[in-house]
């Protein structure tokens, strides 16, 4: 591990205490929550009002969300590198370089879903409907098609399928938050169409939900019943 001016020796465990994100959304922080809870890493969720984030200097102070605050007070930004940081410390990142390539590529393939969802949240009027239709008819099916070969019955996404890795959390969270979530902004009929576009996704998603019951129950108890 690379050391900086404040750290003269490699870390031995994840050093995250707080997780900052917009209140009332799982969004990009969801995958980090699943990963940290799965590995028993304690963390505090700090919700931020979206209007305050953009108008009261919070964005300038924290940068893009999600943000993780470390025990030493330093901040970590960007979901993908934070996820790799957590994964590498906790056996959720492949040791095999080729599997690491597939892990990163599969995780990145979900980004258009989040990008268009955020645009939909901010949109108004006719643009909102146009973006919604694009998400369920184009973005979700296209992104799922890009990784469809990795949804193998009863297996995780890479290697021999016996071990859960970082990329599984990215796509597992799409299933829990967009498809299985009864509060999801995706309408039931459109969920069915998305699942029909990628038959292997449902069995993968159900496997992920079974594995992640601990966090699913915790976040429900916390009142986290969001649309995405």
């Amino acid at each position: 591990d690379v050391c900086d001016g404040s750290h003269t020796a490699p870390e031995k465990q994840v050093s995250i205490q707080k997780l900052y994100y917009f209140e009332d959304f799982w969004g990009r922080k969801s995958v980090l929550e699943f990963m940290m809870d799965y590995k028993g890493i304690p963390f505090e969720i700090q919700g931020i009002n979206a209007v305050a984030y953009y108008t009261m200097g919070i964005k300038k102070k924290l940068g893009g969300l999600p943000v993780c605050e470390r025990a030493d007070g330093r901040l970590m930004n960007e979901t993908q590198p934070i996820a790799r940081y957590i994964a590498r410390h906790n056996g959720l990142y492949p040791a095999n370089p080729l599997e690491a390539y597939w892990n990163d590529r599969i995780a990145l393939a979900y980004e258009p879903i989040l990008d268009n969802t955020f645009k939909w949240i901010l949109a108004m009027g006719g643009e909102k409907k146009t973006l919604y239709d694009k998400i369920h008819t184009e973005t979700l099916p296209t992104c799922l098609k890009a990784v469809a070969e990795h949804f193998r019955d009863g297996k995780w996404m890479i290697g021999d399928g016996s071990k859960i890795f970082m990329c599984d959390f990215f796509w597992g969270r799409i299933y829990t938050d967009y498809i299985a979530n009864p509060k999801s902004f995706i309408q039931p009929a459109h969920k069915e169409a998305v699942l029909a576009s990628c038959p292997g996704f449902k069995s993968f998603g159900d496997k992920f939900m079974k594995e992640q019951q601990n966090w699913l129950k915790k976040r429900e108890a916390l009142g986290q019943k969001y649309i995405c």
Side-chain angles (χ1 to χ4, degrees), residues 118-132:
F118 196 68
K119 291 176 184 176
W120 171 81
I121 290 170
L122 296 177
M124 299 179 68
E127 184 187 6
K128 198 171 190 75
K129 184 181 185 307
T130 298
L131 283 166
Y132 172 77

Side-chain angles (χ1 to χ4, degrees), residues 96-208:
N96 181 304
L98 182 56
E99 289 182 2
Y101 160 79
W102 283 112
N103 176 84
D104 291 0
R105 178 169 173 169
I106 291 167
L108 284 168
Y110 110 135
E111 290 293 337
I113 301 171
L114 276 293
D115 291 342
N116 284 329
T117 298
F118 196 68
K119 291 176 184 176
W120 171 81
I121 290 170
L122 296 177
M124 299 179 68
E127 184 187 6
K128 198 171 190 75
K129 184 181 185 307
T130 298
L131 283 166
Y132 172 77
D133 289 341
K134 180 177 181 179
I135 290 168
H136 75 82
T137 64
E138 181 181 330
T139 310
L140 277 164
T142 299
C143 290
L144 283 166
K145 183 178 179 180
V147 297
E149 66 179 298
H150 300 283
F151 296 129
R152 301 167 291 170
D153 191 35
K155 295 182 178 181
W156 299 116
M157 296 184 78
I158 57 175
D160 65 6
S162 64
K163 182 174 172 51
I164 191 170
F165 285 116
M166 175 186 125
C167 59
D168 296 295
F169 288 85
F170 279 81
W171 286 98
R173 103 71 163 176
I174 292 295
Y175 185 83
T176 61
D177 299 351
Y178 283 67
I179 304 299
N181 172 22
K183 298 286 186 180
S184 170
F185 75 101
I186 304 294
Q187 298 173 19
H190 298 153
K191 292 180 184 181
E192 292 300 322
V194 169
L195 290 174
S197 75
C198 185
F201 187 44
K202 186 178 189 305
S203 62
F204 166 82
D206 289 341
K207 177 180 174 67
F208 181 81

Side-chain angles (χ1 to χ4, degrees), residues 22-125:
F22 299 112
E23 59 188 9
D24 300 329
F25 294 103
W26 287 310
R28 295 182 183 276
K29 74 175 171 61
S30 184
V31 65
L32 306 178
E33 293 174 320
F34 274 115
M35 291 175 70
M36 288 194 287
D37 181 80
Y38 186 67
K39 285 299 181 177
I41 302 167
F43 61 95
E44 175 186 343
I45 302 168
Q46 185 68 53
I48 297 175
N49 178 274
V51 174
Y53 174 76
Y54 288 107
T55 63
M56 298 182 66
I58 299 174
K59 182 177 181 181
K60 183 177 181 180
K61 177 182 177 181
L62 295 179
L65 300 180
V67 170
C68 290
E69 182 179 326
R70 295 164 48 85
D72 59 12
R74 292 191 174 213
L75 302 178
M76 302 176 76
N77 300 78
E78 301 294 341
T79 309
Q80 296 275 349
I82 294 171
R84 280 193 290 273
Y85 167 73
I86 296 168
R88 290 181 65 191
H89 266 306
N90 289 279
L92 298 174
Y93 197 80
N96 181 304
L98 182 56
E99 289 182 2
Y101 160 79
W102 283 112
N103 176 84
D104 291 0
R105 178 169 173 169
I106 291 167
L108 284 168
Y110 110 135
E111 290 293 337
I113 301 171
L114 276 293
D115 291 342
N116 284 329
T117 298
F118 196 68
K119 291 176 184 176
W120 171 81
I121 290 170
L122 296 177
M124 299 179 68

